[in-house]
Amino acid sequence: MPADHTPTLPTVAIIGAGSSGIAAAKALHERGLEFDCFEASDRVGGNWVFDNKNGMSAAYRDLHINTSRDRMQFSDFPMPRSLPDFPHHTQIAQYFDDYVDHFGFRDRIRFETAVAHAQQREDGTWRVTDGDGRTREYDMLVVANGHHWDKRWPEPSFPGSETFEGTQLHAHDYRDNAFLTAKDVVVLGMGNSAMDIAVESSYVARTTHLAARRGAWIVPKYLFGKPLDQISTLPHVPHWLNARISETIIRLHTGRPERYGLPRPDHRFGAAHPTVSGRILDRIIHGTITPRPNIAQLGPDWVQFADGTRVHADVVIYCTGYRIAFPFFDEDFLSAPGNRIELFRRVFKPGHPSLAFVGLLQPIGAIMPLAEAQGQWIAQYLRGEYHLPSPRAMDAEIRRESRRMRRRYVASDRHTIQVDFDTYRFDLRRERRRGAARAAAAGHTLPVPARVRVEEAAPA
Ligand SMILES: Cc1cc2nc3c(=O)[nH]c(=O)nc-3n(C[C@H](O)[C@H](O)[C@H](O)COP(=O)(O)OP(=O)(O)OC[C@H]3O[C@@H](n4cnc5c(N)ncnc54)[C@H](O)[C@@H]3O)c2cc1C
Ligand SMILES: NC(=O)c1ccc[n+]([C@@H]2O[C@H](COP(=O)([O-])OP(=O)(O)OC[C@H]3O[C@@H](n4cnc5c(N)ncnc54)[C@H](OP(=O)(O)O)[C@@H]3O)[C@@H](O)[C@H]2O)c1
């Protein structure tokens, strides 16, 4: 490449223009970095685009956010005050669309261009191939492909599920309750998909059974006249103390879950991803949802539960969560078996300085402001204003963090990327200050050398 064309800063490919990808794109745009953001769909917003043509959205017709408006909004682009505390998915999708226009980087997004393959070369640069076989090269790859689209089915499947003559579907494919009218429905799971879908079913189905292998502490969306997630926890107060206070408040407010016939949680409050529902307990005490233990087996038109009870069933909806997947990486390069992926502060992979992830975390609180902070961190890094610790130090921190998480959370594939919203932001700010001092001491060299230009793709 001729010297006068050599860029001064590294060039970047971002995979995904959901809320995480656009947060990263905005940060790079603002800091003068050259990038292409690849988006499989014709729109930004990912999961929040109902019936998204990428086939990856889990949004159902009546989906409202369960993290409140003020927790979810980006720091420099408040959601309109005219929106409710828990807006509808259409309002959230509109907000993300407006964000891109407000900050003016829509032209950096390559719509309807899915990344089929991303390959790192020996020198650390990336060769990105789209679905039409066209390739482009970049210095850095930022992955923001979302982690709520690859359905996790019960494994192994329940005995007899192959003989069931009704409909079995995963929550990801649920759109609305019309097809449940006058049906006998079994909903499996105790996460937020199960709560919402069981409630929706309860208005139209003949019967709705909510089956679960484990109990959960169910928290309302509102407490003390405000959204629950706006009652802040303090980063320096130990987690166990925050959790005990919250558990006491929930027990005073709603009582123990088993009082509603739900399974008794096998863990203390705070040891599982929060199950948020202002409606489920109401529907249970109205007799429109019947709590059940786990599914034991299925027959042609029935479901039997672990306690031996059996009900007639037309539909079984598996709200059993999602797998983390990167179909564009060679599996021997990087995958996430059992949803496990070891990253420094959930962004950098030690030993791979030209690779970063955004939004690959499951906060107690909303993902968006954390993705925003991650994007700013990556921009700071790419400009040589932040230097990472050594791979050894990062590995040690990753091990410490995963020990902490293992001690704290119920062992489940859904608890592999958990973070606390306030603590994560606090730790990240501190880390960015430390890394800025390291960068200054090293003379602000670029951790990712600027080698390739953003240019038109080579044909297939
Ligand atoms: C039903 C449901 C409700 C939720 N509610 C909340 C909530 O209230 N609050 C909250 O904080 N979180 C919530 N979440 C979590 C959800 O993951 C985040 O809200 C948010 O969607 C994460 O954004 P993302 O950009 O990381 O992923 P996504 O929204 O999934 O976006 C990923 C984007 O990447 C694109 N993409 C993927 N692969 C490729 C590829 N190979 N090439 C090009 N483009 C690609 C996709 O087309 C998509 O646009 C919810 C999740 C579900 C399933
Ligand atoms: N309104 C909203 O904003 C909204 C609505 C829906 C979802 N969401 C979000 O979307 C994400 C995914 O939520 P989700 O509810 O779909 O998934 P999830 O949180 O991963 O919950 C999956 C549930 O299925 C259970 N499960 C998994 N495998 C099972 C098996 N083989 N047999 C029996 N039970 C099994 C899990 O139990 P264990 O705990 O025992 O593993 C858990 O109760 C979360 O971030 C959630 O907050 C938000």
Side-chain angles (χ1 to χ4, degrees), residues 60 63-66 148 154 158 188-193 196 213-214 273 294 319-322 362 412 414:
Y60 26 90
L63 174 67
H64 286 250
I65 58 172
N66 66 1
H148 287 135
F158 292 110
L188 177 66
M190 275 305 271
N192 292 307
S193 297
D196 278 0
R213 68 178 175 187
R214 190 195 309 280
H273 185 65
N294 202 3
C319 303
T320 42
Y322 295 89
Q362 185 73 45
S412 163
R414 68 196 283 245

Side-chain angles (χ1 to χ4, degrees), residues 6 36 65 140 157 160 194 212 219 256 261 265 328 377 379-380 411 429:
T6 306
D36 281 325
I65 58 172
M140 174 85 184
S157 54
V219 297
R256 299 191 66 95
F328 39 81
W377 184 25
Q380 183 188 8
R429 274 198 295 270

Side-chain angles (χ1 to χ4, degrees), residues 232-305:
S232 279
T233 54
L234 296 168
H236 50 269
V237 171
H239 155 72
W240 67 266
L241 185 54
N242 275 325
R244 291 298 173 279
I245 295 167
S246 305
E247 184 177 315
T248 307
I249 293 169
I250 297 304
R251 284 169 72 162
L252 288 172
H253 181 264
T254 43
R256 299 191 66 95
E258 53 272 32
R259 297 289 300 273
Y260 299 80
L262 289 162
R264 182 187 182 144
D266 59 1
H267 52 276
R268 300 300 299 258
F269 184 88
H273 185 65
T275 297
V276 184
S277 177
R279 298 184 292 167
I280 190 90
L281 299 178
D282 228 37
R283 300 304 290 162
I284 291 173
I285 60 177
H286 290 178
T288 55
I289 296 175
T290 310
R292 302 280 180 185
N294 202 3
I295 294 175
Q297 60 170 316
L298 290 82
D301 62 355
W302 50 263
V303 171
Q304 185 169 314
F305 302 100

Side-chain angles (χ1 to χ4, degrees), residues 12-18 20-22 24-25 28 35-40 56 109-110 113-119 126-129 138 140-146 149 325-329 355-358:
V12 188
I14 302 174
I15 302 182
S20 301
I22 60 173
L28 301 193
F35 67 91
D36 281 325
C37 179
F38 291 88
E39 172 48 56
M56 296 167 91
I109 304 173
R110 291 181 181 271
T113 312
V115 172
H117 193 216
Q119 190 175 27
W126 290 89
R127 198 179 156 81
V128 172
T129 307
Y138 301 90
M140 174 85 184
L141 183 71
V142 174
V143 176
N145 68 327
W149 53 266
F326 311 108
F328 39 81
F329 284 146
L355 173 64
F357 295 80
V358 176

Side-chain angles (χ1 to χ4, degrees), residues 345-358:
R345 302 264 176 240
R346 306 251 40 92
V347 172
F348 289 101
K349 182 146 184 66
H352 293 271
S354 61
L355 173 64
F357 295 80
V358 176

